[in-house]
Amino acid sequence: MKKPLTLILAVLALLGQSSLFAQKTSLKDAFKDKFLMGVAVNRYQINQSNKKETDLITSQFNALTAENDMKWMHMHPKKNTFNFEQAHKLLKLAKANNMFVVGHTLVWHSQLAPWVFKTVNGDTIDNLELTHRIEKHISTIVGKYKGKIDAWDVVNEALAEDGSYRKSLFFQIGGEAFIENAFRFAHAADPDAELYYNDYNLIDAKKRDGAIRIINSLKSKNIKIDGVGVQAHWSLDEPSIEDIETAIEMYAQTGVKVMFTELDISVLPSPWNSPTADVSVRFENNPAMDPYPNGLPDSVQDQLAKRYADIFKLFNKHSDKIGRVTFWGLHDGLSWKNNFPIRGRTDYTLLFDREMKPKKAFNAVIHTVKD
Ligand code: G3I
């Protein structure tokens, strides 16, 4: 009788220790031998307005991305006006806590300033002027933070879903050369900064192949590109682990680092067939599309934890190819997915709940390294 009881007690003690381990271990410590663990921070967090949020950010993560504040509309709102205030604050927070900083993002068709494609007369600028404007934007901002900002999302979302170039005004005016110009200017402004191409749906075969085409084209012209940023706005069952693995392997074969730059897992029904991050598309809300306004049922909490665990088991397996995993937001209450693609829903995308407590998914992620 004594032996089985001792065994049961030992197992219980071990289980207790392991959940205690999960609670006490931070993401950055747990994954320190694998890859950086980052988080996207909003303006209030960059301003350190809430001590509890600052403490959670600095205790759990070792990489920072500004969720919005370093986009063109904020940093370069008028032709001759640059605004460095928020980037300075972000750097201060990061450097005081020994964190890696990603500049997000230099060239993106969205969250741009209205002047960018216009002459003083309101006409559309030509390619030469566009190239000058991109050069000034990049050399001023990247140059300002030379040796301080570790890496840049140089070009964001230049691909359409079929893998061809997105027909943005950058592309319509500048052709595909706007991409190589942007990378050249960034490299000239800070030769040591890491330079990335960043996009969503990069696991889908057509878009994945489009990104590989961009990487190979830059490399064939001896233009520096260090990494591909796979945004990772995913759902409980898409994309499949097999497809994520194939993409990791294919990107790594091009010789660049793979980064998962905007990870969140939506548990809500999607009005589309596949997850996306095209912010121009929106749908109307209704109760069927917002099933958990008052809390997430345990069964779905478990599904989310398992999904996160499956993803991190794969990331751990390929940690030699992965440089960083960044969560797109600190806690569920702040996730952009609460308002996209339908406004005003209640989603549960991240590892910390609305009270900033670690969820089952947090423990599940930590345990992928421990086990
Ligand atoms: O700051 C204004 C505020 O003054 C105003 O009262 C409020 C009213 O709606 O809007 C606030 O601006 C919002 C901003 O986020 C800051 O919260 C914008 O409306 C809203 O559109 C904007 O959304 C951001 C989105 O990019 C815009 O494209 C999300 O926070 C941000 O998470 C999201 O991030 C992008 C990545 O940069 C690139 N990849 C896709 C990802 C998700 O779309």
Side-chain angles (χ1 to χ4, degrees), residues 203 208 239-249 307 314:
I203 304 301
R208 176 198 69 205
S240 72
I241 295 296
E242 293 72 29
D243 288 349
I244 302 171
E245 181 160 39
T246 304
I248 293 174
E249 286 167 342
R307 174 71 166 147
L314 181 75

Side-chain angles (χ1 to χ4, degrees), residues 30-31 33-35 240-249 252 258 260 308-323 325 365-371:
F31 288 87
D33 298 326
K34 305 275 185 205
F35 32 73
S240 72
I241 295 296
E242 293 72 29
D243 288 349
I244 302 171
E245 181 160 39
T246 304
I248 293 174
E249 286 167 342
V258 186
F260 291 91
Y308 262 116
D310 290 346
I311 287 168
F312 273 84
K313 279 180 203 159
L314 181 75
F315 289 173
N316 294 338
K317 178 177 168 192
H318 292 285
S319 62
D320 58 323
K321 307 172 188 71
I322 297 174
V325 177
V365 164
I366 295 271
H367 276 290
T368 63
V369 231
K370 186 165 182 279
D371 301 340

Side-chain angles (χ1 to χ4, degrees), residues 64-162:
L64 286 183
T65 307
E67 185 178 0
N68 286 297
D69 279 355
M70 289 182 68
K71 293 169 181 174
W72 195 312
M73 66 183 282
H74 295 299
M75 291 208 76
H76 193 178
K78 294 184 187 152
K79 195 170 178 196
N80 294 310
T81 306
F82 286 87
N83 175 7
F84 297 111
E85 196 185 333
Q86 290 305 109
H88 274 46
K89 287 185 190 169
L90 178 80
L91 260 183
K92 200 172 153 204
L93 172 63
K95 293 304 158 191
N97 294 285
N98 208 15
M99 299 167 106
F100 186 91
V101 184
V102 183
H104 174 82
T105 171
L106 292 168
V107 179
W108 185 27
H109 63 276
S110 187
Q111 287 179 294
L112 260 184
W115 63 271
V116 174
F117 299 115
K118 296 279 174 218
T119 67
V120 278
N121 301 325
D123 298 329
T124 303
I125 56 171
D126 63 16
N127 186 18
L128 190 64
E129 180 60 18
L130 177 67
T131 308
H132 285 320
R133 289 183 184 189
I134 293 177
E135 178 168 24
K136 184 173 175 197
H137 179 75
I138 292 180
S139 63
T140 307
I141 295 173
V142 177
K144 179 100 180 166
Y145 296 108
K146 184 177 176 192
K148 293 181 179 147
I149 288 188
D150 302 283
W152 290 94
D153 289 336
V154 179
V155 175
N156 196 43
E157 301 175 11
L159 289 168
E161 297 313 292
D162 64 358

